[in-house]
Amino acid sequence: ETGVTQTPRHLVMGMTNKKSLKCEQHLGHNAMYWYKQSAKKPLELMFVYNFKEQTENNSVPSRFSPECPNSSHLFLHLHTLQPEDSALYLCASSQDSAGSPNEQFFGPGTRLTVL
Amino acid sequence: SQQGEEDPQALSIQEGENATMNCSYKTSINNLQWYRQNSGRGLVHLILIRSNEREKHSGRLRVTLDTSKKSSSLLITASRAADTASYFCATAANAGGTSYGKLTFGQGTILTVHP
């Protein structure tokens, strides 16, 4: 285990549903990330939070809404998604997003299917 | 094309053989990291090599970095069936730019080790 947990592990939702993905890290890190992994595409960085402040929004559609209430928890709120949003959503954490070497620890991911 | 492109896209070998994967990138980096991903799971950090290092070892892993050619290689010696996974390189940008601290992942090499 990497010390980063994600729930749920699998999620099927309709385009009109609202759901949330949860990520929790037990590593004492200050930075947390959301990535999207689609088939045959590189890992896409979506959002970065450093010390609870959003420092990166990589042109993500507004139907994805992140929330970071504290340095240990990260949420991704989903609403009115499209079928092309189906993917593996990975959460990661690191000591500090602005520092280096920035080794990241990943959760197991949430496999999202949008019908 | 992407920062961090792996080559080959897929590699199939027999147990006991060595596996070599290559990664090329385009911009200057602070460090380069290799990650492993078992099917449908999160990524696991394997090894990090800084821009001022040329070679690094960790168990059966050997990583080289050639900053003049903007390339890196990951060698897994005496492979095992359990090494079957996707392997990704990720580059971390230097300080001073907007990408500092962020990792950019390649598309990965799918390694299959046959027993």
Side-chain angles (χ1 to χ4, degrees), chain B residues 34-82:
Chain B
W34 285 90
Y35 288 80
R36 165 196 167 124
Q37 183 181 33
N38 286 70
S39 181
R41 308 270 307 174
L43 279 70
V44 175
H45 183 268
L46 294 176
I47 195 166
L48 179 151
I49 187 164
R50 298 176 192 271
S51 59
N52 61 353
E53 297 176 310
R54 292 296 165 257
E55 187 170 314
K56 206 159 182 182
H57 296 256
S58 176
R60 293 184 295 112
L61 305 180
R62 173 178 168 249
V63 169
T64 62
L65 179 65
D66 186 335
T67 52
S68 66
K69 295 181 180 177
K70 292 187 168 58
S71 68
S72 172
S73 68
L74 170 68
L75 168 67
I76 303 175
T77 60
S79 64
R80 305 165 183 168

Side-chain angles (χ1 to χ4, degrees), chain A residues 65-85:
Chain A
S65 175
E67 179 190 359
C68 188
N70 55 61
S71 292
S72 299
H73 294 86
L74 184 65
F75 295 89
L76 188 62
H77 303 300
L78 316 171
H79 64 98
T80 59
L81 294 192
Q82 304 298 313
E84 60 265 28
D85 296 323

Side-chain angles (χ1 to χ4, degrees), chain A residues 20-37:
Chain A
S20 296
L21 309 185
K22 179 183 176 182
C23 175
E24 184 173 0
Q25 57 98 359
H26 310 274
L27 301 168
H29 288 164
N30 298 308
M32 297 188 77
Y33 311 78
W34 279 117
Y35 288 90
K36 176 183 178 182
Q37 188 177 34

Side-chain angles (χ1 to χ4, degrees), chain A residues 37 40 56 98 100-102 104, chain B residues 30 33 35 37 100-102:
Chain A
Q37 188 177 34
K40 300 185 180 178
E56 180 83 16
S100 193
N102 197 19
Q104 295 185 15
Chain B
N30 178 282
Q33 303 176 32
Y35 288 80
Q37 183 181 33
Y100 181 51
K102 291 190 291 188

